[in-house]
């Protein structure tokens, strides 16, 4: 829907109140020195007028004059759409009989304040779990169909951002219900769904004019110009396939800790394991899906043989999957350029530098 409206900044709290009646609100919250997506009960708990400063192994929060200045929270919407631990099946034995209970997440989330990179990541997860999956995830689909997303235009790219490398813009383009661009005196509201339109009908608004549209375009252009570091994605999958046997990867045996941190903060990494929890006292067995990582030693163990014993081979798998194998599976890269993996890598590994080196001298 290509609808642009003007809403006073004073009505943001009213939008929150309307959504709170139907959804559990998940929003960026400032706590313990970081901003992360958390459930919120009060409008005042949201991390408004805060901005993040990030670089390799550096993260800091400062005050800002703008309502939405966070480039992205530490975690992502993946934590709620594809949670770290999810009960799938419960089996109970009573009177010698087994009963089976299939668990479906009964959640209705309103994500209140989502930057463009996380919107783009949701599109990728949609392909993984629903759109391009021969056996769509029932749990993911159920949660996904019952959410509301209020997004915003990014005005504060940090040094680890490189979304423009993949053709993304610092403005939400799809998969949102309402998108806000903060102008000097108002919010320029873009409506992305019928749900968004129904909500805005309850809020005083007016039509946006060319002056407002131009102000938004200038903000977007200014943000794009501030994203300095890029990777060259031209023919990248084909180039990477020629580097699989390169000695380039060996250095990661010394630099990568295989801590799995990059896969945990990544908004698109989706690997999970299935575990069984058995209680002989209550006679209940619970089957759960839990996050896994290709950096875990057990991830590539087949029977008793680990086909990726070295850390270097695990790092190669992660990078190759994001930037080569993923394109074969889903027709796009598995990265949105949010830069979380760069900020939170304890070894200071910068994926942008590694890819650029692979292109030039990774033999």
């Amino acid at each position: 829907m290509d609808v642009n409206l003007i809403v006073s900044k004073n009505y943001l709290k009213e939008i929150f109140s309307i959504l709170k009646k139907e959804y559990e609100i998940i929003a960026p919250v400032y706590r313990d020195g970081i901003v992360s997506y958390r459930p919120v009960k009060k409008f005042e708990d949201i991390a408004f007028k805060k901005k993040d400063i990030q670089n390799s192994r550096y993260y800091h929060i400062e005050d800002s004059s703008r309502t939405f200045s966070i480039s992205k929270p530490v975690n992502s919407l993946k934590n709620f759409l594809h949670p770290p631990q999810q009960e799938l099946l419960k089996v109970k034995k009573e009177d010698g009989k087994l009963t089976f209970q299939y668990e479906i997440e009964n959640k209705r989330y309103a994500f209140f304040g989502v930057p463009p990179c996380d919107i783009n990541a949701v599109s990728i997860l949609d392909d993984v779990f629903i759109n391009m999956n021969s056996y769509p995830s029932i749990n993911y689909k159920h949660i996904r169909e019952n959410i509301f997303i209020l997004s915003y235009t990014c005005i504060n790219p940090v040094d680890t951002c490189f979304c423009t490398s993949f053709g993304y813009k610092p403005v939400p383009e799809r998969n949102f219900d309402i998108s806000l661009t903060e102008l000097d005196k108002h919010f320029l509201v873009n409506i992305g769904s019928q749900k968004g339109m129904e909500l805005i009908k309850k809020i005083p608004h007016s039509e946006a004019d060319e002056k407002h549209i131009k102000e938004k375009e200038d903000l977007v252009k200014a943000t794009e110009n501030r994203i300095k570091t890029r990777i060259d994605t031209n023919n990248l999958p084909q180039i990477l396939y020629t580097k699989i046997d390169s000695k380039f990867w060996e250095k990661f045996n010394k630099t990568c800790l295989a801590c799995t941190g990059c896969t945990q903060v990544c908004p698109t990494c989706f690997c999970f394991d299935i575990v069984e929890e058995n209680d002989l006292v209550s006679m209940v067995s619970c089957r759960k899906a839990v996050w896994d990582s290709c950096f875990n030693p057990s991830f590539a163990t087949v029977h008793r043989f680990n086909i990726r014993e070295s850390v270097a081979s695990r790092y190669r798998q992660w990078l190759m999957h994001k930037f080569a194998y993923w394109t074969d599976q889903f027709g796009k890269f598995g990265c949105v350029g949010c830069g979380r993996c760069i900020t939170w890598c304890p070894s200071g590994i910068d994926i942008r530098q590694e890819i650029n080196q692979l292109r030039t001298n990774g033999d």
Side-chain angles (χ1 to χ4, degrees):
M1 301 177 70
D2 188 18
V3 180
N4 292 287
L5 305 172
I6 292 296
V7 171
S8 169
K9 295 181 182 180
N10 296 329
Y11 287 110
L12 187 60
K13 187 172 184 179
E14 180 65 21
I15 294 174
F16 176 90
S17 298
I18 293 172
L19 289 172
K20 191 172 182 293
K21 294 176 182 178
E22 298 184 38
Y23 300 92
E24 178 181 357
I25 305 291
I26 307 296
V29 174
Y30 177 60
R31 187 180 300 173
D32 300 327
I34 65 171
V35 171
S36 58
Y37 290 112
R38 293 174 179 265
V40 297
K41 299 294 186 182
K42 298 185 298 183
F43 179 76
E44 292 74 20
D45 291 338
I46 302 176
F48 297 127
K49 296 190 174 182
K50 296 286 184 183
K51 70 176 181 179
D52 50 329
I53 301 172
Q54 299 189 42
N55 211 323
S56 176
R57 293 179 289 185
Y58 183 84
Y59 181 93
H60 180 65
I61 297 293
E62 291 185 352
D63 292 333
S64 170
S65 60
R66 293 281 188 164
T67 304
F68 294 105
S69 295
I70 297 297
S71 71
K72 63 265 176 182
V74 170
N75 57 352
S76 67
L77 303 194
K78 177 181 76 172
N79 291 64
F80 303 92
L81 300 176
H82 173 52
Q85 181 170 292
Q86 192 171 39
E87 189 172 294
L88 303 176
L89 170 67
K90 185 177 289 184
V91 183
K92 191 172 184 178
K93 187 174 184 180
E94 291 181 312
D95 300 325
K97 296 181 180 180
L98 295 179
T99 59
F100 296 83
Q101 180 180 355
Y102 294 90
E103 298 293 328
I104 300 295
E105 289 282 359
N106 187 24
K107 299 288 188 180
R108 286 178 59 83
Y109 292 126
F111 297 105
F112 198 91
V114 181
C117 54
D118 282 348
I119 295 288
N120 297 328
V122 170
S123 296
I124 291 176
L125 291 180
D126 286 350
D127 286 345
V128 170
F129 288 110
I130 303 175
N131 300 334
M132 301 182 71
N133 194 322
S134 300
Y135 302 93
S137 167
I138 297 174
N139 276 290
Y140 181 93
K141 190 172 186 292
H142 184 75
I143 297 174
R144 182 70 177 86
E145 290 174 346
N146 291 280
I147 67 173
F148 189 101
I149 296 180
L150 182 147
S151 59
Y152 60 86
T153 297
C154 178
I155 60 171
N156 178 44
V158 294
D159 289 341
T160 54
C161 292
F162 60 109
C163 62
T164 52
S165 297
F166 305 100
Y168 294 122
K169 294 182 178 295
V171 59
E173 296 182 284
R174 64 191 182 104
N175 267 346
F176 60 85
D177 297 290
I178 291 176
S179 177
L180 305 179
T181 301
E182 186 172 4
L183 308 181
D184 284 341
K185 297 181 180 180
H186 306 88
F187 284 123
L188 176 62
V189 181
N190 184 235
I191 307 299
S193 72
Q194 189 60 40
K195 286 189 294 184
M197 179 62 76
E198 292 301 318
L199 187 150
I200 288 298
K201 286 180 180 179
K202 303 174 184 178
I203 302 294
H205 60 270
S206 59
E207 294 288 335
D209 57 31
E210 292 184 4
K211 179 186 68 175
H212 299 124
I213 302 298
K214 179 64 165 56
E215 189 175 348
K216 174 183 177 178
E217 291 174 349
D218 290 344
L219 282 172
V220 171
K221 189 65 176 178
T223 301
E224 289 177 330
N225 290 338
R226 290 176 58 193
I227 301 174
K228 301 296 185 182
T229 307
R230 297 174 56 87
I231 62 172
D232 183 359
T233 59
N234 186 42
N235 293 323
L236 181 58
Q238 292 78 10
I239 292 172
L240 290 178
Y241 278 124
T242 69
K243 308 289 185 178
I244 288 181
D245 295 322
S246 169
K247 293 183 179 180
F248 173 86
W249 307 105
E250 295 177 3
K251 67 177 183 179
F252 295 106
N253 282 322
K254 296 181 180 180
T255 58
C256 177
L257 302 177
C259 67
T260 79
C262 54
T263 60
Q264 304 303 299
V265 296
C266 176
T268 64
C269 277
F270 61 87
C271 292
F272 62 93
D273 194 5
I274 301 294
V275 299
E276 307 282 351
E277 294 182 357
N278 302 310
D279 189 335
L280 297 179
V281 176
S282 63
M283 300 300 287
V284 172
S285 178
C286 184
R287 177 171 294 175
K288 295 182 177 181
V290 297
W291 282 2
D292 202 352
S293 171
C294 52
F295 286 94
N296 282 332
S298 62
F299 185 86
T301 298
V302 181
H303 300 294
R304 64 185 180 88
F305 299 101
N306 188 345
I307 61 175
R308 297 192 199 105
E309 291 186 348
S310 70
V311 174
S313 66
R314 295 175 213 158
Y315 186 88
R316 179 183 62 188
Q317 163 64 23
W318 179 71
L319 187 147
M320 290 292 296
H321 189 200
K322 288 289 182 188
F323 301 98
Y325 311 151
W326 209 301
T327 63
D328 293 336
Q329 289 176 286
F330 305 109
K332 64 178 72 171
F333 292 105
C335 176
V336 294
C338 71
R340 286 180 173 97
C341 62
I342 302 170
T343 298
W344 299 104
C345 176
S347 295
I349 298 173
D350 188 326
I351 189 68
R352 300 168 299 186
Q353 296 177 7
E354 305 306 333
I355 288 177
N356 289 333
Q357 288 181 25
L358 270 170
R359 293 190 70 101
T360 56
N361 58 1
D363 295 324

